[in-house]
Amino acid sequence: MRKIKIVADSSCDLYELARADYACAPMKVITAEREFIDNKELDINEMVEFLYQYKGKSKSSCPNTSDWLEAFGDADEVFCVTITSGLSGSYNSACAAKQMYEAENEGKRVCVFDTLSAGPEITLIIERLEECVESGMPFDDICESINSYMKKTGLIFMLKSLKNFANNGRVSPVVAKIVGIAGLCIVGRASEEGTLEPKHKCRGEKHSLEKIAAELEVQGFRSGKISIGHCRNEAAATQLKALILEKFKDAQVEIHKLKGLCSFYAEKGGVLVGFEKA
């Protein structure tokens, strides 16, 4: 009987799975004063509060090749899911681990998926992957099915701050400062290239949530699963769920708290929305 394992970096917001052998390779958030490892032991609220007050530089770090090999364990078939290669080296490290693992273990196979996304969209991808593995599908069929599924998912985000993006060199400090001073919310999406694409500057949370609901339709959502992740903003997530269900009666909406890496980038008040396209 083949031994199958799903592995992912912690940008997926899932530390464990109920119905599959699974390992989560932690990302790290690093500052000059403290380092935060994105695993089950992380106090996410404490990290968010520390970063909110912190004035220095901060950055994220992805799993290295050794981390991935450890996550693979001794499985015969590994399905490996990573954050977008457009923002991280996690995918490249996982591909290097795949080459080493297959070279050193004759007959064993690894499929690496570059999600071109993060957070709740990856949550949906892993949930579908878990279903495929549980159904007993052959290795190649699972790879093909997930690659097809990823073309039918998307990510929309609302950010109230770009401080950590600026500290990490992802956006201009000038732009981040303007957003902070003006009290704007940025609503955008994960682009086809796997980068974050701001689309709207909104005044106030209410307007931003309404824009997300409208943007879901623009981006192709009609019915199906939606995963809402929030960074210490359950009220906004709940309000957004109500807006979505008012607009899309058949939507299946779940809400969860963002884990460490996604909380680092979303920052306090941020909301990320993964969804299935028609």
Side-chain angles (χ1 to χ4, degrees):
M1 184 175 180
R2 57 183 181 153
K3 187 174 182 180
I4 305 171
K5 192 170 189 180
I6 299 171
V7 301
D9 60 46
S10 58
S11 70
C12 68
D13 282 338
L14 293 167
Y15 292 146
E16 54 192 6
L17 292 179
R19 306 191 312 276
D21 188 11
Y22 175 72
C24 180
M27 311 281 277
K28 296 178 182 178
V29 174
I30 301 169
T31 74
E33 296 180 12
R34 294 185 64 180
E35 179 177 293
F36 301 91
I37 300 175
D38 188 11
N39 58 24
K40 287 190 290 187
E41 285 70 49
L42 176 63
D43 187 329
I44 297 170
N45 287 337
E46 182 191 7
M47 183 195 78
V48 171
E49 284 301 324
F50 171 83
L51 292 169
Y52 184 73
Q53 303 294 335
Y54 183 66
K55 303 299 182 185
K57 294 287 185 181
S58 58
K59 64 180 181 179
S60 59
S61 172
C62 68
N64 59 34
T65 302
S66 296
D67 295 328
W68 282 119
L69 287 171
E70 182 180 351
F72 293 173
D74 62 350
D76 300 312
E77 298 176 0
V78 178
F79 299 97
C80 178
V81 185
T82 78
I83 190 174
T84 172
S85 60
L87 294 175
S88 171
S90 187
Y91 173 73
N92 290 333
S93 293
C95 287
K98 163 189 162 70
Q99 292 178 351
M100 292 176 62
Y101 192 76
E102 292 181 338
E104 295 171 2
N105 299 278
E106 184 177 356
K108 296 192 176 186
R109 305 177 72 185
V110 180
C111 183
V112 183
F113 300 101
D114 179 1
T115 64
L116 300 177
S117 190
E121 183 176 358
I122 305 183
T123 302
L124 294 179
I125 292 166
I126 292 179
E127 287 174 352
R128 175 60 66 92
L129 181 54
E130 185 178 26
E131 292 170 3
C132 291
V133 170
E134 191 176 33
S135 74
M137 290 173 62
F139 181 88
D140 289 332
D141 290 354
I142 292 177
C143 296
E144 182 179 350
S145 176
I146 297 302
N147 280 316
S148 296
Y149 182 69
M150 290 194 300
K151 295 175 182 177
K152 297 179 180 180
T153 59
L155 180 78
I156 297 174
F157 58 84
M158 177 194 77
L159 304 178
K160 292 187 171 186
S161 170
L162 298 177
K163 174 189 170 187
N164 290 339
F165 272 107
N167 284 346
N168 205 6
R170 305 295 187 188
V171 301
S172 162
V174 175
V175 173
K177 194 168 185 178
I178 290 172
V179 170
I181 293 173
L184 297 173
C185 294
I186 303 297
V187 173
R189 69 178 188 118
S191 71
E192 300 297 325
E193 295 75 32
T195 59
L196 298 183
E197 180 184 333
K199 293 181 68 68
H200 309 283
K201 297 176 183 177
C202 305
R203 285 204 177 276
E205 187 173 88
K206 183 175 182 293
H207 185 203
S208 301
L209 298 177
E210 291 169 349
K211 184 63 71 174
I212 290 175
E215 193 67 26
L216 279 168
E217 185 169 24
V218 172
Q219 297 300 324
F221 181 78
R222 297 296 180 269
S223 64
K225 296 172 70 175
I226 289 180
S227 179
I228 301 174
H230 67 89
C231 180
R232 300 187 62 177
N233 199 352
E234 188 168 1
T238 302
Q239 185 179 349
L240 177 59
K241 179 178 180 178
L243 288 170
I244 291 170
L245 291 175
E246 183 179 344
K247 190 176 184 68
F248 306 100
K249 306 299 184 187
D250 297 327
Q252 304 161 42
V253 186
E254 67 88 20
I255 295 173
H256 67 271
K257 296 177 181 178
L258 295 173
K259 301 300 192 289
L261 189 279
C262 288
S263 290
F264 171 63
Y265 283 114
E267 299 191 56
K268 190 187 297 187
V271 175
L272 307 181
V273 184
F275 63 97
E276 295 179 331
K277 301 177 183 177

